[in-house]
Every structure is written in structure tokens, then in C-alpha cells.
Amino acid sequence: MKFSTPEGIGALILCALSIQYLRKFLDTPNRTPRWDQVLRKAWAGVGILFGIGAIFGIDDLSTGWLWAGFGAIIAYTVWLINDFKPARTLLLAVGPFMVMAFLSELMKSVVPTFREEYDDYIGSAMAFSVIWLITFIIIATRQKKALANESVEREKEAEKRREIEARKAELEALVAERTAEITQQKEELEHALAELRITQNQLVQSEKMASLGELTAGIAHEIQNPLNFVNNFSEVSVELIDELADEQQKPERDPELEAELLADLKQNLQKITHHGGRASSIVRGMLQHSRASSGQREPTDLNALADEYLRLAYHGLRAKDKTFNATFSTDLDPSLGLISLIPQDLGRVLLNLFTNAFYAVQQRQKQAGSSTSPALYQPAVRVQTRCENGQARIMVTDNGTGIPEELQTRIFQPFFTTKPTGEGTGLGLSLAYDIVTKGHNGTLQVESREGEGTTFIIKLPA
């Protein structure tokens, strides 16, 4: 085959096209950019070679040498990118064909008779090398596709990893931001809780002081009675002593009159002692109520405690409103005996319930006073104690305004009150409930009908 023949021209064109295929197959523009510039100019080299052969009529240069040169180009390209597996496979595919083409041309030039004698064997070997070439080109193509698929998968995995890393970084940023927000909220809540505790303690103290104020007002009025008796009987006793002294100065003394004066004097002193003791009892109750609870239980006369605080609550309200009048009665079970409790705490509970009861009847009295027939309503508060089934029961009943049914489940909640603003803290019944249930293992219940009255029931282990 000569360059000047159509077959030679076809070989030149086929070689040039093979170089372009090589560039595309091995991706030399990306893998070996500099060497790719040389391969891109292969068209010019082939054209120049073709022109020289046509112009000068070169007949002694066969296509075998052309294929040998093409094989050298492939070998050099594979050497440049030996890490690309399909390139090595392509070299393995082209190698036998290039070697056979080179040997065939060499034998034509050196031993032509040997070449002609064994032309059939050499042709078979060339055919085998072509089959080998096609087979390994297919294998190389599949390897390239597999590598391309692997590259795509790796890229997908890398993209997924990048997305995961980005999402992880985003989540970490969100977690850090949320943690900072939660930390700030925690600090704000702790600060608010500290302020709330301070406020709660202040309100509890305010409620205790309000209770103490009610007690003090009641005591001021209640203690006035025995003090009046003491003063009156003291004055009468002084008069009796003066009369007795005058009688003793007379020449003729009347023993019967002296005995009568002494008996009256003794009776007055007994009454002074009685009412003085009554005043001392009231003062002692006030001191017990005002001082902090020791938390120690002690045997207590529950009937006396209830009677004492009922009177003090009534007089406390009377001190605020001179026009207020109400009847209060007691039904105390004498078999109740002494109950183990904390008298200061339970005294606060009873005072709160009695004060609320008198307040309720006072409000209903005011409502009745504005109606057409105010005389039909008579305010009344009643206290009853019983010992039943191993429990001491105290019932405080009034015929006041009552509590609406929808509010009865909320009256023991802290800061909830049915009184107008400024007249209640909403802590009285809440503290009373805690004292009875937590401090004495008892129960505090309410039964009420709006417009008819209310009954509070305390049950304590007896």
C-alpha cells in the first residue's frame, strides 16, 4: 500500500480519525492538555504527509510504518495517563495489530520471498490481531462506561456528603442558636422565678399581715368588753372600800353591813379576775396568731379555738363597718376533746373562713339594703364541730352571696379571688387549703349556691 494509492489515502484518513477517537476516548483535553494540543494537530501532520506523498510520488513508504507511528503515539499517550485503566486496555488492544503491521512491512522490505511464502499465516495473524483489537476496544469502552458510572456515583455520593455536611453544619448552627436561646430563656425564667418567689413571699406576708390586721381589729373590740368590766368593778370596789372604811369609823358599827360590803367586794374582785383572765386569753391568742408558726403540733381545744376566732372575726369586720350587724352561733361538740394540731396555723385558717363568711353576709346585706324589702334578710354565720368516724369536722356556714358554680373549682388557686380589686390578695383560701391538706393531712371542701350561701367543711384526723 502506497500513500499515492486510494488505499494509502484511506489509511492516512483512518489514522487521523483514529487519533481523534483516541483524544475523545482517553479525554486528553482534560487529562493531558499539552499533549492534546499535539494530537489536535495530527490532522495537519496527516495532511502534510498525504500532500508530500502525492506531489513527490513516494512509493516506498507503506501504511505499515504509518500504523507503527500511530502505535507509538498511543503508547506515549497511555504512558502519560497510565493511571487510567481503559487507556492500558486500549494499548493492549492496539499492540498486537501494530506489531503485526510493523513485522509485515519489515518482512516485505527485508525478506520479501519469506513474506510471500508465509503470506497466508501472516494474513491469519493480522485477522486475529484485528479481532483482538475489536474485542479489547469493546472491553475498554465498557471499562470507560463503568468508570464513568462509578464517577457519577462517586459524584452523587460526594454531593450527598456535601449536602449532609451542609445540613449538618446548618443543624449545628440551628442547635447552637437554639441552645443560646434556651440558655437565655432559662436565665430569664430563673430571674423571673426569683422575682416571683420574692413577690410571692411578699404577698404571703401581706396576707398574714392582713389576717393579723383583722385579728387585731377584732381583739381591740373584743378586749374592750372585759376591760370595761374590770374598770367598772374596780370603781365599784373602790366605793365599797370607802363605804366600809366609813362604817368602821362609826362608834356603832353594823356587822351585817360590813359583811355585806365585804361579800360584794369579794364578788367584784372575782369578776375582775374573771374578766382580766378573759382579756389575757384574748391577748395570748393574738400573740399566738402573730408569731411565726413553730410547726409543732400540740393538743388543742378545737371548740375554744373556733369560738375565739369567730368572735374576733366578727368584731374585726365591725371595726371597719360600724353599721354592720349579724348573728353568729355555735354548735360545738363537747365530745371532740383535744386535737393534735398547730394552733397558730389552724387559727389563721379559721379566721380566714370566718372573715370571708362575715364579708359574704355583709355584701348580701348591702344588696338587700338597696332592694324594696331589706328587712327580709337577716345575716347569719354558724359554726359547727363534730367528731365522726375518727375525724374532727368543722363546718362554717353563712347565708351570704354564695359562690357561682363555675368558680368553685378555682377558689383554692393562688391569687384567685372573687373580691373586688384592693379587697383581697387571692392567697387566703390558697394558704388555708395548704395548711389543712399539707400541714394537717386533712381536707377542705366547699359547698355553695349562688345567692343562698356557702359552707366550708374542714376534716382533720382526730
Side-chain angles (χ1 to χ4, degrees):
M1 301 178 195
K2 310 301 179 182
F3 285 130
S4 57
T5 65
E7 187 176 355
I9 295 172
L12 288 172
I13 295 173
L14 182 61
C15 181
L17 292 175
S18 298
I19 291 176
Q20 296 305 316
Y21 171 77
L22 177 69
R23 290 179 62 238
K24 182 178 180 181
F25 183 83
L26 298 181
D27 193 20
T28 55
N30 294 320
R31 296 181 182 276
T32 55
R34 292 184 180 180
W35 177 243
D36 181 71
Q37 296 295 327
V38 177
L39 294 178
R40 287 178 62 186
K41 297 175 181 177
W43 283 100
V46 171
I48 292 171
L49 187 61
F50 171 73
I52 292 172
I55 293 172
F56 295 99
I58 299 175
D59 294 331
D60 58 347
L61 187 61
S62 65
T63 57
W65 301 110
L66 181 65
W67 291 118
F70 178 61
I73 291 174
I74 293 178
Y76 182 71
T77 304
V78 172
W79 180 77
L80 290 176
I81 52 174
N82 56 9
D83 58 335
F84 187 47
K85 187 177 180 181
R88 298 195 298 270
T89 305
L90 182 63
L91 180 62
L92 183 63
V94 176
F97 178 77
M98 297 301 177
V99 170
M100 287 302 302
F102 175 76
L103 289 177
S104 176
E105 294 301 324
L106 183 63
M107 283 187 290
K108 282 182 182 181
S109 300
V110 178
V111 283
T113 55
F114 179 80
R115 169 71 176 77
E116 291 177 358
E117 183 180 354
Y118 292 97
D119 186 63
D120 293 337
Y121 295 104
I122 294 173
S124 298
M126 286 294 295
F128 177 77
S129 67
V130 171
I131 295 173
W132 177 279
L133 173 67
I134 295 172
T135 302
F136 275 86
I137 286 177
I138 293 173
I139 293 174
T141 303
R142 289 181 176 177
Q143 287 178 344
K144 183 179 179 182
K145 288 182 179 180
L147 288 176
N149 291 334
E150 290 179 4
S151 177
V152 171
E153 291 297 326
R154 284 195 300 270
E155 184 62 28
K156 288 181 180 179
E157 291 178 0
E159 182 65 25
K160 287 181 180 179
R161 284 195 298 271
R162 286 193 294 269
E163 290 178 359
I164 291 173
E165 291 296 328
R167 185 60 179 166
K168 180 181 177 183
E170 182 181 352
L171 290 175
E172 287 177 350
L174 289 174
V175 168
E177 180 182 355
R178 193 62 182 152
T179 302
E181 291 178 0
I182 292 174
T183 303
Q184 182 180 0
Q185 291 175 358
K186 178 186 175 184
E187 293 175 353
E188 292 175 355
L189 287 174
E190 288 178 347
H191 180 67
L193 180 60
E195 290 184 349
L196 182 60
R197 285 175 176 169
I198 294 173
T199 304
Q200 183 181 14
N201 291 334
Q202 291 174 347
L203 288 173
V204 170
Q205 188 64 27
S206 174
E207 178 65 26
K208 289 182 179 179
M209 293 305 295
S211 174
L212 182 60
E214 296 282 351
L215 180 66
T216 305
I219 288 173
H221 281 70
E222 181 74 3
I223 205 172
Q224 193 64 43
N225 248 354
L227 287 178
N228 287 337
F229 277 110
V230 169
N231 292 333
N232 291 336
F233 284 117
S234 296
E235 292 174 2
V236 172
S237 297
V238 170
E239 293 175 0
L240 289 176
I241 291 174
D242 291 339
E243 188 177 346
L244 180 60
D246 291 342
E247 183 66 27
Q248 289 178 344
Q249 297 297 326
K250 292 180 181 180
E252 296 181 1
R253 299 168 56 181
D254 185 352
E256 292 182 359
L257 179 58
E258 291 180 358
E260 183 180 349
L261 291 173
L262 289 172
D264 290 341
L265 183 59
K266 181 180 180 180
Q267 185 178 6
N268 287 350
L269 292 175
Q270 288 175 344
K271 289 180 179 180
I272 290 172
T273 302
H274 171 73
H275 290 289
R278 169 68 178 153
S280 297
S281 174
I282 294 172
V283 173
R284 186 167 55 252
M286 180 187 69
L287 293 175
Q288 286 182 344
H289 184 89
S290 62
R291 69 170 178 255
S293 171
S294 63
Q296 296 294 325
R297 294 176 179 238
E298 55 185 79
T300 304
D301 187 344
L302 193 57
N303 289 336
L305 195 68
D307 183 67
E308 183 82 17
Y309 280 97
L310 177 63
R311 297 176 186 278
L312 294 177
Y314 174 70
H315 289 294
L317 192 56
R318 283 266 300 163
K320 295 180 180 179
D321 184 4
K322 302 294 184 181
T323 63
F324 173 68
N325 283 294
T327 60
F328 57 90
S329 59
T330 58
D331 180 10
L332 307 177
D333 186 357
S335 65
L336 193 60
L338 300 179
I339 306 298
S340 178
L341 48 84
I342 306 171
Q344 298 95 331
D345 289 351
L346 196 65
R348 291 190 179 98
V349 173
L350 293 175
L351 183 63
N352 185 271
L353 295 182
F354 296 150
T355 302
N356 286 347
F358 283 118
Y359 177 84
V361 299
Q362 180 194 38
Q363 295 304 307
R364 187 173 177 186
Q365 186 182 47
K366 290 180 179 179
Q367 294 173 6
S370 60
S371 64
T372 56
S373 55
L376 295 178
Y377 175 70
Q378 295 295 327
V381 176
R382 184 169 181 266
V383 181
Q384 183 185 60
T385 60
R386 289 289 184 273
C387 184
E388 298 176 351
N389 301 322
Q391 286 186 323
R393 186 178 67 175
I394 309 171
M395 289 181 293
V396 181
T397 304
D398 66 72
N399 61 346
T401 54
I403 304 172
E405 185 176 355
E406 64 272 13
L407 300 182
Q408 292 180 23
T409 58
R410 301 175 58 192
I411 61 173
F412 297 124
Q413 294 178 3
F415 309 110
F416 178 79
T417 179
T418 57
K419 296 178 181 179
T421 304
E423 293 191 22
T425 63
L427 284 173
L429 287 177
S430 173
L431 292 174
Y433 185 83
D434 287 344
I435 290 172
V436 172
T437 58
K438 298 178 182 178
H440 292 82
N441 298 322
T443 60
L444 177 57
Q445 300 171 334
V446 61
E447 297 175 358
S448 181
R449 288 188 178 182
E450 189 175 6
E452 296 183 11
T454 303
T455 299
F456 283 93
I457 304 171
I458 300 175
K459 292 182 181 179
L460 301 173

